[in-house]
Short mmCIF file of all heavy atoms in Angstrom, two decimals:
data_model
loop_
_atom_site.label_atom_id
_atom_site.label_comp_id
_atom_site.label_asym_id
_atom_site.label_seq_id
_atom_site.Cartn_x
_atom_site.Cartn_y
_atom_site.Cartn_z
N LYS C 1 1.69 -11.91 -5.48
CA LYS C 1 0.78 -13.03 -5.37
C LYS C 1 1.29 -14.07 -4.38
O LYS C 1 0.51 -14.72 -3.67
CB LYS C 1 0.57 -13.68 -6.75
CG LYS C 1 -0.22 -12.80 -7.72
CD LYS C 1 -1.60 -12.49 -7.17
CE LYS C 1 -2.42 -11.67 -8.14
NZ LYS C 1 -3.78 -11.35 -7.59
N GLN C 2 2.61 -14.21 -4.30
CA GLN C 2 3.19 -15.14 -3.33
C GLN C 2 2.88 -14.67 -1.91
O GLN C 2 2.48 -15.45 -1.05
CB GLN C 2 4.70 -15.23 -3.54
CG GLN C 2 5.46 -15.99 -2.45
CD GLN C 2 5.07 -17.45 -2.39
OE1 GLN C 2 4.81 -18.06 -3.42
NE2 GLN C 2 5.02 -18.01 -1.19
N TRP C 3 3.05 -13.36 -1.66
CA TRP C 3 2.77 -12.82 -0.34
C TRP C 3 1.30 -12.93 0.03
O TRP C 3 0.96 -13.29 1.15
CB TRP C 3 3.19 -11.35 -0.28
CG TRP C 3 4.65 -11.12 -0.21
CD1 TRP C 3 5.60 -11.94 0.31
CD2 TRP C 3 5.34 -9.96 -0.69
NE1 TRP C 3 6.84 -11.36 0.19
CE2 TRP C 3 6.71 -10.15 -0.42
CE3 TRP C 3 4.93 -8.77 -1.32
CZ2 TRP C 3 7.68 -9.20 -0.74
CZ3 TRP C 3 5.89 -7.83 -1.64
CH2 TRP C 3 7.25 -8.04 -1.36
N THR C 4 0.42 -12.58 -0.90
CA THR C 4 -0.99 -12.41 -0.56
C THR C 4 -1.83 -13.68 -0.72
O THR C 4 -2.91 -13.78 -0.13
CB THR C 4 -1.63 -11.31 -1.43
OG1 THR C 4 -1.49 -11.64 -2.82
CG2 THR C 4 -0.95 -9.97 -1.17
N GLU C 5 -1.35 -14.64 -1.51
CA GLU C 5 -2.13 -15.85 -1.74
C GLU C 5 -1.35 -17.13 -1.48
O GLU C 5 -1.94 -18.21 -1.33
CB GLU C 5 -2.64 -15.87 -3.19
CG GLU C 5 -3.56 -14.71 -3.54
CD GLU C 5 -3.99 -14.72 -5.00
OE1 GLU C 5 -3.73 -15.74 -5.69
OE2 GLU C 5 -4.58 -13.72 -5.46
N GLY C 6 -0.02 -17.04 -1.48
CA GLY C 6 0.80 -18.24 -1.37
C GLY C 6 1.16 -18.60 0.07
O GLY C 6 0.53 -18.16 1.02
N SER C 7 2.19 -19.41 0.19
CA SER C 7 2.67 -19.88 1.49
C SER C 7 4.18 -19.69 1.55
O SER C 7 4.87 -19.93 0.56
CB SER C 7 2.31 -21.36 1.68
OG SER C 7 2.72 -21.82 2.94
N PRO C 8 4.71 -19.23 2.69
CA PRO C 8 4.03 -18.93 3.95
C PRO C 8 3.18 -17.66 3.84
O PRO C 8 3.53 -16.75 3.09
CB PRO C 8 5.17 -18.74 4.94
CG PRO C 8 6.32 -18.30 4.10
CD PRO C 8 6.17 -19.01 2.80
N PRO C 9 2.07 -17.60 4.57
CA PRO C 9 1.19 -16.43 4.51
C PRO C 9 1.85 -15.20 5.12
O PRO C 9 2.65 -15.32 6.05
CB PRO C 9 -0.03 -16.86 5.31
CG PRO C 9 0.50 -17.89 6.27
CD PRO C 9 1.58 -18.61 5.53
N VAL C 10 1.51 -14.03 4.59
CA VAL C 10 2.08 -12.77 5.07
C VAL C 10 0.96 -11.89 5.61
O VAL C 10 -0.09 -11.76 5.00
CB VAL C 10 2.82 -12.04 3.92
CG1 VAL C 10 3.16 -10.62 4.31
CG2 VAL C 10 4.10 -12.80 3.56
N PHE C 11 1.19 -11.32 6.78
CA PHE C 11 0.20 -10.41 7.36
C PHE C 11 0.26 -9.03 6.74
O PHE C 11 -0.77 -8.41 6.45
CB PHE C 11 0.39 -10.28 8.87
CG PHE C 11 -0.48 -9.20 9.47
CD1 PHE C 11 -1.82 -9.44 9.71
CD2 PHE C 11 0.03 -7.94 9.75
CE1 PHE C 11 -2.64 -8.44 10.22
CE2 PHE C 11 -0.78 -6.95 10.26
CZ PHE C 11 -2.12 -7.19 10.50
N ALA C 12 1.46 -8.52 6.51
CA ALA C 12 1.62 -7.16 5.99
C ALA C 12 2.92 -7.06 5.21
O ALA C 12 3.83 -7.88 5.36
CB ALA C 12 1.60 -6.14 7.12
N VAL C 13 2.99 -6.03 4.36
CA VAL C 13 4.20 -5.73 3.58
C VAL C 13 4.65 -4.33 3.94
O VAL C 13 3.85 -3.39 3.92
CB VAL C 13 3.93 -5.82 2.06
CG1 VAL C 13 5.19 -5.47 1.27
CG2 VAL C 13 3.42 -7.21 1.69
N LEU C 14 5.94 -4.18 4.27
CA LEU C 14 6.48 -2.87 4.64
C LEU C 14 7.66 -2.52 3.76
O LEU C 14 8.65 -3.25 3.70
CB LEU C 14 6.92 -2.88 6.11
CG LEU C 14 5.76 -3.02 7.09
CD1 LEU C 14 5.80 -4.36 7.78
CD2 LEU C 14 5.82 -1.92 8.14
N ASP C 15 7.55 -1.40 3.05
CA ASP C 15 8.58 -0.94 2.12
C ASP C 15 9.13 0.38 2.62
O ASP C 15 8.55 1.43 2.36
CB ASP C 15 7.99 -0.81 0.72
CG ASP C 15 8.96 -0.19 -0.27
OD1 ASP C 15 10.18 -0.33 -0.06
OD2 ASP C 15 8.50 0.44 -1.24
N GLY C 16 10.25 0.35 3.31
CA GLY C 16 10.77 1.55 3.95
C GLY C 16 11.53 2.47 3.04
O GLY C 16 11.73 3.64 3.38
N VAL C 17 12.00 1.99 1.89
CA VAL C 17 12.82 2.81 1.02
C VAL C 17 12.00 3.40 -0.14
O VAL C 17 12.22 4.52 -0.56
CB VAL C 17 14.02 2.01 0.47
CG1 VAL C 17 14.80 2.80 -0.55
CG2 VAL C 17 14.94 1.61 1.62
N GLY C 18 11.04 2.64 -0.65
CA GLY C 18 10.21 3.14 -1.74
C GLY C 18 10.47 2.46 -3.06
O GLY C 18 10.29 3.06 -4.11
N SER C 19 10.88 1.19 -3.02
CA SER C 19 11.13 0.48 -4.27
C SER C 19 9.95 -0.38 -4.71
O SER C 19 9.96 -0.93 -5.81
CB SER C 19 12.38 -0.41 -4.13
OG SER C 19 12.29 -1.25 -3.00
N TRP C 20 8.90 -0.48 -3.87
CA TRP C 20 7.69 -1.20 -4.25
C TRP C 20 6.70 -0.16 -4.75
O TRP C 20 6.07 0.54 -3.98
CB TRP C 20 7.12 -1.98 -3.07
CG TRP C 20 6.09 -2.98 -3.50
CD1 TRP C 20 4.75 -2.80 -3.53
CD2 TRP C 20 6.33 -4.29 -4.00
NE1 TRP C 20 4.12 -3.92 -4.02
CE2 TRP C 20 5.07 -4.86 -4.32
CE3 TRP C 20 7.48 -5.05 -4.24
CZ2 TRP C 20 4.94 -6.14 -4.84
CZ3 TRP C 20 7.35 -6.33 -4.75
CH2 TRP C 20 6.09 -6.87 -5.05
N THR C 21 6.52 -0.06 -6.08
CA THR C 21 5.85 1.09 -6.66
C THR C 21 4.74 0.72 -7.62
O THR C 21 4.55 -0.44 -7.96
CB THR C 21 6.87 1.97 -7.42
OG1 THR C 21 7.38 1.21 -8.53
CG2 THR C 21 8.03 2.39 -6.53
N GLY C 22 4.02 1.75 -8.07
CA GLY C 22 3.06 1.63 -9.16
C GLY C 22 1.90 0.70 -8.87
O GLY C 22 1.42 0.58 -7.73
N ASP C 23 1.44 0.00 -9.91
CA ASP C 23 0.32 -0.92 -9.76
C ASP C 23 0.63 -2.04 -8.79
O ASP C 23 -0.29 -2.71 -8.30
CB ASP C 23 -0.06 -1.52 -11.12
CG ASP C 23 -0.68 -0.49 -12.06
OD1 ASP C 23 -1.21 0.51 -11.55
OD2 ASP C 23 -0.62 -0.68 -13.28
N ASN C 24 1.89 -2.28 -8.51
CA ASN C 24 2.26 -3.33 -7.57
C ASN C 24 1.74 -3.01 -6.16
O ASN C 24 1.49 -3.92 -5.38
CB ASN C 24 3.78 -3.50 -7.54
CG ASN C 24 4.33 -3.88 -8.90
OD1 ASN C 24 4.01 -4.94 -9.44
ND2 ASN C 24 5.11 -2.99 -9.50
N GLU C 25 1.61 -1.72 -5.85
CA GLU C 25 1.02 -1.37 -4.56
C GLU C 25 -0.44 -1.80 -4.50
O GLU C 25 -0.91 -2.32 -3.48
CB GLU C 25 1.13 0.14 -4.33
CG GLU C 25 2.54 0.61 -4.05
CD GLU C 25 2.57 2.00 -3.45
OE1 GLU C 25 1.56 2.73 -3.52
OE2 GLU C 25 3.63 2.37 -2.89
N LEU C 26 -1.17 -1.59 -5.60
CA LEU C 26 -2.57 -1.99 -5.63
C LEU C 26 -2.72 -3.51 -5.68
O LEU C 26 -3.71 -4.06 -5.20
CB LEU C 26 -3.29 -1.36 -6.82
CG LEU C 26 -3.40 0.17 -6.80
CD1 LEU C 26 -4.19 0.66 -8.01
CD2 LEU C 26 -4.04 0.66 -5.51
N CYS C 27 -1.73 -4.21 -6.23
CA CYS C 27 -1.75 -5.67 -6.24
C CYS C 27 -1.80 -6.19 -4.80
O CYS C 27 -2.56 -7.10 -4.48
CB CYS C 27 -0.53 -6.23 -6.96
SG CYS C 27 -0.41 -8.04 -6.93
N VAL C 28 -0.98 -5.58 -3.93
CA VAL C 28 -0.95 -6.01 -2.53
C VAL C 28 -2.19 -5.53 -1.78
O VAL C 28 -2.89 -6.30 -1.12
CB VAL C 28 0.32 -5.47 -1.84
CG1 VAL C 28 0.28 -5.79 -0.33
CG2 VAL C 28 1.57 -6.09 -2.46
N ALA C 29 -2.48 -4.22 -1.89
CA ALA C 29 -3.51 -3.61 -1.05
C ALA C 29 -4.92 -3.86 -1.56
O ALA C 29 -5.82 -4.20 -0.77
CB ALA C 29 -3.25 -2.11 -0.93
N GLN C 30 -5.14 -3.69 -2.87
CA GLN C 30 -6.48 -3.80 -3.42
C GLN C 30 -6.84 -5.24 -3.76
O GLN C 30 -7.85 -5.77 -3.29
CB GLN C 30 -6.62 -2.93 -4.67
CG GLN C 30 -8.02 -2.91 -5.28
CD GLN C 30 -8.07 -2.10 -6.57
OE1 GLN C 30 -7.28 -2.33 -7.48
NE2 GLN C 30 -8.99 -1.14 -6.64
N GLU C 31 -6.00 -5.90 -4.55
CA GLU C 31 -6.28 -7.28 -4.93
C GLU C 31 -6.08 -8.24 -3.77
O GLU C 31 -6.91 -9.11 -3.51
CB GLU C 31 -5.39 -7.70 -6.10
CG GLU C 31 -5.63 -6.96 -7.40
CD GLU C 31 -4.68 -7.44 -8.49
OE1 GLU C 31 -4.46 -8.67 -8.58
OE2 GLU C 31 -4.16 -6.61 -9.25
N GLY C 32 -4.94 -8.08 -3.09
CA GLY C 32 -4.59 -9.02 -2.04
C GLY C 32 -5.17 -8.68 -0.68
O GLY C 32 -5.06 -9.49 0.25
N GLN C 33 -5.80 -7.51 -0.53
CA GLN C 33 -6.35 -7.07 0.75
C GLN C 33 -5.37 -7.32 1.89
O GLN C 33 -5.70 -7.85 2.94
CB GLN C 33 -7.68 -7.76 1.02
CG GLN C 33 -8.76 -7.39 0.02
CD GLN C 33 -10.11 -8.00 0.35
OE1 GLN C 33 -10.30 -8.54 1.43
NE2 GLN C 33 -11.04 -7.92 -0.57
N THR C 34 -4.13 -6.91 1.63
CA THR C 34 -3.05 -7.05 2.59
C THR C 34 -2.49 -5.67 2.90
O THR C 34 -2.23 -4.90 1.98
CB THR C 34 -1.93 -7.95 2.02
OG1 THR C 34 -2.47 -9.25 1.78
CG2 THR C 34 -0.75 -8.05 2.96
N PRO C 35 -2.28 -5.33 4.17
CA PRO C 35 -1.72 -4.02 4.51
C PRO C 35 -0.37 -3.79 3.84
O PRO C 35 0.51 -4.65 3.89
CB PRO C 35 -1.57 -4.09 6.04
CG PRO C 35 -2.58 -5.09 6.48
CD PRO C 35 -2.62 -6.12 5.39
N LEU C 36 -0.24 -2.65 3.20
CA LEU C 36 1.03 -2.23 2.62
C LEU C 36 1.38 -0.85 3.16
O LEU C 36 0.61 0.09 3.00
CB LEU C 36 0.95 -2.17 1.09
CG LEU C 36 2.15 -1.52 0.38
CD1 LEU C 36 3.42 -2.35 0.62
CD2 LEU C 36 1.91 -1.35 -1.11
N ILE C 37 2.51 -0.77 3.82
CA ILE C 37 3.02 0.51 4.31
C ILE C 37 4.25 0.83 3.48
O ILE C 37 5.25 0.13 3.55
CB ILE C 37 3.37 0.45 5.81
CG1 ILE C 37 2.13 0.02 6.60
CG2 ILE C 37 3.89 1.79 6.30
CD1 ILE C 37 2.38 -0.18 8.08
N GLY C 38 4.17 1.87 2.65
CA GLY C 38 5.23 2.13 1.70
C GLY C 38 5.72 3.56 1.72
O GLY C 38 4.98 4.48 2.05
N GLU C 39 6.97 3.74 1.33
CA GLU C 39 7.56 5.08 1.23
C GLU C 39 7.15 5.77 -0.06
O GLU C 39 6.95 6.98 -0.09
CB GLU C 39 9.08 4.97 1.31
CG GLU C 39 9.82 6.28 1.10
CD GLU C 39 9.53 7.30 2.17
OE1 GLU C 39 9.22 6.90 3.29
OE2 GLU C 39 9.63 8.51 1.87
N TRP C 40 7.01 4.98 -1.15
CA TRP C 40 6.68 5.56 -2.45
C TRP C 40 5.21 5.93 -2.51
O TRP C 40 4.35 5.16 -2.12
CB TRP C 40 7.01 4.57 -3.56
CG TRP C 40 6.77 5.10 -4.94
CD1 TRP C 40 7.63 5.83 -5.70
CD2 TRP C 40 5.58 4.95 -5.73
NE1 TRP C 40 7.06 6.14 -6.91
CE2 TRP C 40 5.80 5.62 -6.95
CE3 TRP C 40 4.37 4.32 -5.51
CZ2 TRP C 40 4.85 5.65 -7.96
CZ3 TRP C 40 3.41 4.37 -6.50
CH2 TRP C 40 3.65 5.03 -7.72
N THR C 41 4.92 7.11 -3.03
CA THR C 41 3.53 7.55 -3.13
C THR C 41 3.19 7.98 -4.54
O THR C 41 4.07 8.26 -5.35
CB THR C 41 3.25 8.74 -2.19
OG1 THR C 41 3.76 9.96 -2.77
CG2 THR C 41 3.90 8.55 -0.84
N THR C 42 1.89 8.04 -4.83
CA THR C 42 1.40 8.62 -6.07
C THR C 42 0.22 9.51 -5.70
O THR C 42 0.19 10.07 -4.60
CB THR C 42 1.05 7.54 -7.11
OG1 THR C 42 0.59 8.17 -8.30
CG2 THR C 42 0.04 6.54 -6.62
N VAL C 43 -0.76 9.65 -6.60
CA VAL C 43 -1.86 10.57 -6.33
C VAL C 43 -2.98 9.87 -5.55
O VAL C 43 -2.98 8.66 -5.38
CB VAL C 43 -2.41 11.16 -7.64
CG1 VAL C 43 -1.44 12.20 -8.19
CG2 VAL C 43 -2.65 10.07 -8.67
N THR C 44 -3.94 10.66 -5.07
CA THR C 44 -4.95 10.21 -4.13
C THR C 44 -5.75 9.01 -4.63
O THR C 44 -6.23 8.20 -3.83
CB THR C 44 -5.91 11.37 -3.81
OG1 THR C 44 -5.13 12.52 -3.48
CG2 THR C 44 -6.80 11.04 -2.63
N ASN C 45 -5.91 8.88 -5.96
CA ASN C 45 -6.64 7.72 -6.50
C ASN C 45 -6.11 6.41 -5.93
O ASN C 45 -6.87 5.47 -5.71
CB ASN C 45 -6.50 7.67 -8.03
CG ASN C 45 -7.22 8.80 -8.71
OD1 ASN C 45 -6.97 9.96 -8.40
ND2 ASN C 45 -8.11 8.49 -9.63
N TRP C 46 -4.79 6.33 -5.71
CA TRP C 46 -4.19 5.08 -5.26
C TRP C 46 -4.67 4.72 -3.85
O TRP C 46 -5.02 3.56 -3.59
CB TRP C 46 -2.66 5.19 -5.29
CG TRP C 46 -2.03 4.39 -6.39
CD1 TRP C 46 -1.16 3.36 -6.26
CD2 TRP C 46 -2.24 4.55 -7.80
NE1 TRP C 46 -0.80 2.86 -7.49
CE2 TRP C 46 -1.45 3.58 -8.46
CE3 TRP C 46 -3.01 5.41 -8.58
CZ2 TRP C 46 -1.41 3.44 -9.84
CZ3 TRP C 46 -2.97 5.28 -9.95
CH2 TRP C 46 -2.18 4.31 -10.56
#
């Protein structure tokens, strides 16, 4: 929420190792409409 709605504003989130996981990915991408490029993956629904 700090990244997607707070200050300073963030254009994108990049997780190169894969520690940003689960519903937290949808928090950034779906709720926050902020680009998330992540190493961790799940199934196509995400």
